[in-house]
């Protein structure tokens, strides 16, 4: 068996008991992060000797700057934006776990000060209508772009200047590796497995979950320091090659 998330419902006493029984009957398990392994042992009652750690790996391909620039041109043309805009982005399910409501609130804080900054959100989910309404209520709808379900996530991610992941919990966050492969600095929550992927202050900035003010401040810090963004992106690409290759996963 393998475990991929530390979902809140697994804390329920009945679910914990069922999990304990199932793990007692199971010969071995795989956790995709240290955080998930610890969760399995602490919450689900798994014997430590039964659980192996196998983190995700991503096939690495060096992406030329021209390809990244082309991706941004594709997205700015699609959204009818000028070429000099700054694109912040998320690619995720539109569900509570992903913390999108906090990204919208943080974007509201920087909205007036940075008129060339836009927020793209690709994905669909149960909270789609609620989040759209929140954007309208905050008065930021003209610069928040809801892309819906897409099959060109690679192009969308490559077009971003900054990747956001303000999740409330996260078993791993494979999309973080996608962003790192394209040399994009990351702002994410300091929860679950994310600190195992994003090196805080080196390949991105980690902030407490649900902290709108600190999320906005992290955005401002990177928006004000282009060289830091570039440096973090390069170090993220290097970290991907060193720590999250397919070869290491195998």
């Amino acid at each position: 068996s393998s475990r991929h998330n530390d979902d809140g419902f697994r804390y329920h006493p009945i679910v914990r008991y069922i999990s304990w029984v199932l793990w007692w009957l199971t010969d071995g398990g795989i956790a995709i992060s240290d955080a998930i392994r610890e969760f399995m042992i602490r919450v689900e009652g798994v014997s430590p000797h039964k659980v192996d750690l196998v983190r995700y790996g991503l096939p690495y391909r060096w992406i030329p700057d021209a390809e990244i620039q082309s991706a941004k041109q594709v997205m700015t043309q699609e959204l009818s934006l000028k070429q000099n805009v700054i694109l912040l982005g998320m690619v995720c399910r539109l569900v509570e776990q992903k913390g999108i409501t906090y990204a919208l609130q943080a974007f509201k804080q920087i909205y007036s000060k940075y008129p060339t900054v836009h927020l793209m959100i690709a994905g669909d989910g149960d909270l789609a209508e609620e989040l759209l309404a929140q954007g309208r209520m905050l008065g930021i709808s003209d610069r928040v772009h809801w892309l819906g379900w897409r099959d060109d996530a690679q192009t969308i991610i490559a077009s971003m200047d900054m990747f956001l992941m303000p999740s409330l919990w996260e078993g791993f966050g494979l999309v973080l590796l996608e962003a790192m492969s394209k040399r994009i600095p990351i702002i994410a929550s300091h929860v679950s497995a994310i600190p195992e992927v994003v090196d805080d202050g080196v390949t991105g900035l980690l902030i407490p979950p649900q902290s709108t003010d600190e999320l906005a401040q992290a955005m401002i810090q990177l928006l004000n320091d282009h060289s830091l963004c570039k440096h973090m992106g390069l170090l993220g690409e290097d970290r991907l090659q060193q720590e999250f290759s397919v070869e290491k996963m195998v």
Side-chain angles (χ1 to χ4, degrees), residues 159-233:
S159 72
M160 296 176 184
D161 297 289
M162 197 182 305
F163 189 85
L164 308 180
M165 195 172 189
S167 299
L168 305 185
W169 69 90
E170 200 68 55
F172 184 89
L174 184 58
V175 71
L176 295 171
L177 301 188
E178 301 281 4
M180 290 159 66
S181 75
K182 296 164 181 61
R183 300 186 287 281
I184 302 171
I186 295 167
I187 299 176
S189 298
H190 196 288
V191 296
S192 304
I194 291 178
E196 298 176 45
V197 183
V198 180
D199 191 353
D200 188 20
V202 179
T203 66
L205 300 175
L206 298 183
I207 51 95
Q210 304 182 50
S211 179
T212 300
D213 292 343
E214 292 192 50
L215 179 54
Q217 286 302 313
M219 292 178 183
I220 291 170
Q221 181 179 345
L222 293 187
L223 288 169
N224 289 343
D225 196 335
H226 177 73
S227 62
L228 177 61
C229 285
K230 187 174 182 64
H231 188 60
M232 283 184 166

Side-chain angles (χ1 to χ4, degrees), residues 35-99:
I36 294 300
R37 185 176 187 274
E38 189 275 335
F39 177 86
M40 293 163 69
I41 295 169
R42 175 174 53 87
V43 177
E44 300 185 337
V46 187
S47 297
H49 74 273
K50 282 190 174 184
V51 187
D52 289 309
L53 170 66
V54 182
R55 292 192 180 94
Y56 282 131
L58 191 72
Y60 174 73
R61 177 182 72 87
W62 182 75
I63 302 173
D65 288 341
E67 186 174 327
I68 292 175
Q69 293 166 3
S70 176
K72 185 164 187 178
Q73 184 175 13
V74 168
M75 291 310 302
T76 53
Q77 288 179 350
E78 176 182 330
L79 300 174
S80 300
L81 303 175
K82 295 180 180 179
Q83 286 294 307
N84 67 337
V85 298
I86 299 172
L87 297 178
L88 281 58
M90 302 178 66
V91 176
C92 61
R93 293 174 293 122
L94 307 188
V95 295
E96 180 186 7
Q97 175 191 356
K98 302 303 179 180

Side-chain angles (χ1 to χ4, degrees), residues 229-241:
C229 285
K230 187 174 182 64
H231 188 60
M232 283 184 166
L234 291 169
L235 291 178
E237 181 184 41
D238 183 64
R239 180 169 173 78
L240 170 67
Q241 295 179 67

